[in-house]
Amino acid sequence: MANIKELTKKNEPLSGGHRACAGCAAPVVVRQALLASDKPVVVGSATGCLEVTTTIFPYTAWNVPFIHNAFENSAANVSGVETAYRALKKRGSFDKEVNFIAFGGDGGTYDIGLQSLSGAMERGHRMLYICYDNGAYMNTGIQRSSATPFGANTTTSPAGKKIPGKTQFKKDLTKIIAAHNVPYVAQASVGYWNDFITKVQKALATDGPSFINVLSPCRLGWGFPPEETMEIARQAVACRIWPLYEVINGTWKITFQPKEVTSPLDWMKKQTRFRHVFQPGNESILQKVEEQVEKEWQELLRQCGQA
Amino acid sequence: MVERVMMKGNEAIAEGAIRAGCRFFFGYPITPQNEIPEYMSRRMPEVGGTFIQAESEVSAINMVYGAGGAGARVMTSSSSPGISLKMEGISYIAGAEVPCVIVNVSRGGPGLGGLSPSQADYFQATKGGGHGDYRLIVFAPSTVQECLDMMFDAFVATDKYRNPAMVLADGLLGQMMEPVTLHEITDLKIPPKPWATTGATGGRPLNLINSLGLVGEELERINQRIQAKYREIEANEVRFEEENTADADLVLVAYGTSARIARAAANKARIQGKKVGIFRPVTLWPFPYQQLTDLAKAGKRFLVVEMSVGQMVEDVRLAAGGLVSVDFYGRFNGAIPSVTEVYNEVMKLTSKQGVA
């Protein structure tokens, strides 16, 4: 378990002054993740908000070795880096213990990078892949992704008279990666730093591939005031739209139980991307959301042996 | 009905496609062309069309391949790195002779490059880009009006020759606004597509959409047929514009955004009494080699202006055939040449040679 006082004494792996929006959760995700490592880290990041806001040439916010790669390649790229280090070690020309972390957004992970992520997990590289899930292509101007929630308004799933926002439910990526039977898979929220950092530490201690999907609210794409990022991240957990759990060697466990369970509709009301679904005539959308959240929760309980 | 509106180049491309009868759009987000899929996501349902945002560029171009093979008027759009990812599919589409339109609102490279406009994808667009002996029919708009109009031209050409066509714009054209005249197109010029996979009912032979040739010299025969088609395109489809070339000593050769800048610089030099003309390739493939060769034979020197380190200049040099000198001025990696810079280059070249 991490102690926040100890964490503040560590060197900042990602310096301030980068160009992320006020209230952006992605840099917080990175700082929490990298501070959790007690060994040197090598980071790879796919194209996306995180990479664009932290690495605009000639500046970089990264105080750790960093490699950028095209959108679909974060897992493949870090696979290559990890393999090279392993080969160097085998030859005796390198003897340090290093953690390898790949970052990707939901576009680069759920969609275009799923193939290379699946390959890396299956091959068994000793690396941690962290998806910071902000639920759309925010970097290019808020286009829908397969992580965008049902009903959300984006620029390519616009809410109009004919179609009320996105018509598909969010892909359950964490479960897809769990189905690879890798040693460590977890779902986390940037709003619960202690839970997230503990998960990163467990993942980095794993001798094999690991994956953490961390909810990373986007104030611009979701439509809420910048100071409410952490609150929105916590409420997603409280309303069970984003439960916190981990899968260690095939054993599922819910890692955080909210004291008070709230309605997903209350969470949605705080975000302008869902504004249209609360208008008269869209009651069936709200009902579908509630049913889906309940269905997924019951499924998770069953997987955790609690149903 | 004729309507005059202000539009971004990207919106004009999307609206131009819809007016040209395109009812299927498959895309994927990338800056600086996002207004195209965004416009399509809103507009396609209004006209009974289909918009799908794929999970990658590879999927988007293969959706285009599928819909084009079924005979639909179909398109995709992207920007430089995204076009690179589509290249496998584009080669397959060219090999299978399926019509479709690909729009590249290009940006700086190589690699992730930047978001600013660039013309560094000329080679990729005009020399094939993917593997194998193939070409794209490439249109290079220079105004927002042309962004709209050339979508129709591209759809007509792609259907006529069963060869993928590309509209090569850049980030500047995509993002800037200009007044545009919207016309109703009454004749969409969609030819019959008896080769399309529409369901072989009624006893017609099965249609096959394929680019494979393994037996004997079959692949060579397929390529001979495709090459014969390319010679026909070269004979019929070359488009260009020229201004003040008749009396010119120096001809500025530029396309797209660069042509606008070159034209302003040439006009400025004309005021100073310099005999400067403009030659603008409108189709980049087929390229107006013959017209440039004729100008070279008439003793005109060339200054090629591009937003790249110099790509089209190689084709101009081929056309000039060593008869005249071909100079180059380029800004690149997202930089845009100013009128003054090009004008200074013109003045330097015209005074150095003692040409008034």
Side-chain angles (χ1 to χ4, degrees):
Chain A
M1 187 70 77
N3 174 324
I4 203 155
K5 272 189 186 162
E6 286 166 24
L7 292 178
T8 56
K9 285 179 195 153
K10 293 179 95 172
N11 288 333
E12 272 292 348
L14 187 80
S15 71
H18 54 69
R19 303 184 193 190
C21 302
C24 177
V28 186
V29 166
V30 171
R31 289 173 61 224
Q32 290 181 0
L34 298 190
L35 286 172
S37 176
D38 53 1
K39 291 175 194 153
V41 292
V42 175
V43 169
S45 173
T47 299
C49 281
L50 174 65
E51 170 267 331
V52 164
T53 56
T54 56
T55 67
I56 293 180
F57 188 80
Y59 304 106
T60 179
W62 296 85
N63 290 323
V64 296
F66 176 88
I67 182 165
H68 162 257
N69 43 70
F71 214 11
E72 68 278 22
N73 304 321
S74 199
N77 194 216
V78 175
S79 295
V81 175
E82 188 267 345
T83 304
Y85 272 72
R86 198 148 32 87
L88 288 172
K89 264 185 141 172
K90 212 169 165 183
R91 277 186 222 154
S93 44
F94 187 78
D95 62 356
K96 277 205 187 87
E97 290 287 315
V98 176
N99 286 325
F100 302 94
I101 304 180
F103 285 101
D106 52 290
T109 310
Y110 282 70
D111 290 349
I112 195 167
L114 184 59
Q115 177 174 318
S116 74
L117 173 59
S118 177
M121 294 290 117
E122 186 272 332
R123 285 188 303 270
H125 295 277
R126 197 186 192 287
M127 63 181 267
L128 165 62
Y129 190 107
I130 297 176
C131 171
Y132 70 100
D133 178 354
N134 56 26
Y137 292 82
M138 301 310 184
N139 178 42
T140 45
I142 319 167
Q143 291 85 17
R144 60 91 80 189
S145 77
S146 58
T148 303
F150 184 78
N153 175 54
T154 72
T155 53
T156 53
S157 63
K161 287 191 190 101
K162 303 251 177 210
I163 302 170
K166 197 190 174 201
T167 53
Q168 299 86 9
F169 284 102
K170 185 180 177 112
K171 185 191 279 182
D172 198 335
L173 179 70
T174 314
K175 282 187 186 165
I176 293 173
I177 304 306
H180 285 65
N181 297 321
V182 291
Y184 190 83
V185 174
Q187 197 158 279
S189 165
V190 71
Y192 289 101
W193 65 270
N194 214 332
D195 178 81
F196 177 46
I197 286 179
T198 305
K199 283 170 177 167
V200 173
Q201 285 172 335
K202 285 183 187 176
L204 293 176
T206 302
D207 187 18
S210 52
F211 173 82
I212 300 175
N213 201 359
V214 51
L215 190 71
S216 174
C218 167
R219 47 113 1 193
L220 203 65
W222 298 14
F224 58 81
E227 65 274 17
E228 284 182 24
T229 303
M230 293 303 156
E231 190 51 33
I232 294 278
R234 282 192 284 267
Q235 284 180 15
V237 179
C239 73
R240 292 176 172 165
I241 214 159
W242 191 261
L244 304 186
Y245 64 93
E246 63 188 3
V247 188
I248 307 178
N249 293 315
T251 305
W252 294 61
K253 188 187 157 198
I254 293 167
T255 58
F256 181 85
Q257 286 279 13
K259 284 196 190 90
E260 192 194 345
V261 179
T262 55
S263 163
L265 306 186
D266 293 338
W267 180 73
M268 290 163 71
K269 265 184 204 151
K270 297 196 151 105
Q271 305 167 47
T272 57
R273 62 175 170 164
F274 295 116
R275 189 160 39 198
H276 60 284
V277 300
F278 291 99
Q279 276 158 12
N282 285 335
E283 292 77 10
S284 66
I285 297 176
L286 302 176
Q287 198 191 332
K288 273 187 191 164
V289 170
E290 285 181 310
E291 284 169 6
Q292 182 73 11
V293 169
E294 183 56 25
K295 192 179 129 204
E296 287 177 7
W297 176 251
Q298 291 304 327
E299 174 70 17
L300 182 63
L301 287 179
R302 195 159 52 247
Q303 273 159 318
C304 295
Q306 294 179 21
Chain B
M1 197 182 79
V2 177
E3 225 183 314
R4 190 118 170 111
V5 292
M6 283 291 281
M7 271 189 151
K8 273 188 169 189
N10 283 336
E11 294 166 342
I13 285 167
E15 183 59 31
I18 283 171
R19 283 171 186 257
C22 173
R23 289 296 176 270
F24 294 86
F25 180 93
F26 306 107
Y28 188 72
I30 186 168
T31 310
Q33 62 84 53
N34 290 310
E35 291 82 0
I36 302 175
E38 287 169 9
Y39 192 93
M40 288 300 198
S41 73
R42 186 165 49 78
R43 197 74 169 91
M44 275 299 188
E46 287 177 0
V47 295
T50 298
F51 162 86
I52 292 181
Q53 183 186 311
E55 76 283 10
S56 73
E57 282 93 349
V58 177
S59 297
I61 192 67
N62 281 288
M63 289 176 186
V64 168
Y65 182 23
R73 206 159 244 200
V74 56
M75 73 172 288
T76 186
S77 67
S78 192
S79 179
S80 309
I83 296 290
S84 292
L85 210 45
K86 287 182 198 286
M87 272 303 158
E88 178 193 72
I90 294 173
S91 173
Y92 276 62
I93 290 169
E97 297 183 87
V98 168
C100 69
V101 174
I102 302 133
V103 174
N104 181 0
V105 183
S106 70
R107 63 189 232 187
L112 187 60
L115 307 177
S116 309
S118 166
Q119 293 182 321
D121 296 352
Y122 177 90
F123 286 152
Q124 190 194 47
T126 62
K127 309 296 176 189
H131 62 282
D133 282 321
Y134 79 92
R135 299 282 191 167
L136 302 175
I137 307 168
V138 186
F139 295 86
S142 175
T143 63
V144 175
Q145 182 73 52
E146 284 184 346
C147 285
L148 185 115
D149 295 339
M150 281 185 190
M151 290 308 294
F152 180 62
D153 300 340
F155 276 112
V156 171
T158 192
D159 273 345
K160 185 175 174 190
Y161 296 102
R162 285 183 60 190
N163 194 73
M166 176 174 274
V167 173
L168 179 62
D170 62 59
L172 198 138
L173 277 170
Q175 295 296 323
M176 75 179 188
M177 290 185 102
E178 280 184 335
V180 167
T181 305
L182 300 173
H183 300 276
E184 289 293 328
I185 299 170
T186 47
D187 180 9
L188 291 172
K189 295 188 188 170
I190 301 176
K193 299 182 178 180
W195 48 265
T197 49
T198 54
T201 51
R204 75 154 164 82
L206 290 170
N207 284 334
L208 192 62
I209 305 289
N210 187 19
S211 61
L212 180 73
L214 289 176
V215 185
E217 288 159 2
E218 189 193 346
L219 189 57
E220 191 181 35
R221 279 197 300 279
I222 293 171
N223 272 281
Q224 277 165 346
R225 196 185 66 237
I226 292 174
Q227 291 302 315
K229 182 172 82 176
Y230 289 167
R231 299 296 87 75
E232 200 187 325
I233 296 170
E234 284 169 343
N236 298 332
E237 304 298 333
V238 172
R239 279 172 61 184
F240 61 93
E241 274 180 8
E242 54 184 328
E243 265 172 53
N244 299 325
T245 51
D247 71 335
D249 300 308
L250 179 71
V251 174
L252 270 58
V253 188
Y255 70 95
T257 295
S258 295
R260 302 167 67 111
I261 300 158
R263 182 178 292 118
N267 290 342
K268 207 172 156 188
R270 278 258 160 197
I271 295 166
Q272 297 301 315
K274 303 289 184 187
K275 289 180 178 170
V276 181
I278 283 283
F279 187 94
R280 174 194 158 212
V282 174
T283 52
L284 302 183
W285 192 86
F287 189 77
Y289 288 110
Q290 188 55 50
Q291 291 72 17
L292 283 165
T293 303
D294 292 345
L295 290 173
K297 280 180 181 162
K300 324 262 181 214
R301 301 175 54 208
F302 296 122
L303 170 62
V304 180
V305 181
E306 293 180 71
M307 279 144 55
S308 74
V309 297
Q311 299 193 7
M312 184 180 72
V313 65
E314 295 192 4
D315 280 326
V316 178
R317 287 198 174 116
L318 270 179
L323 292 172
V324 290
S325 65
V326 178
D327 285 286
F328 174 74
Y329 183 78
R331 294 292 307 274
F332 42 92
N333 293 338
I336 301 160
S338 71
V339 172
T340 309
E341 284 167 6
V342 178
Y343 169 78
N344 289 344
E345 197 66 19
V346 168
M347 297 307 278
K348 201 167 81 190
L349 286 171
T350 47
S351 37
K352 191 168 69 186
Q353 301 298 320
V355 194

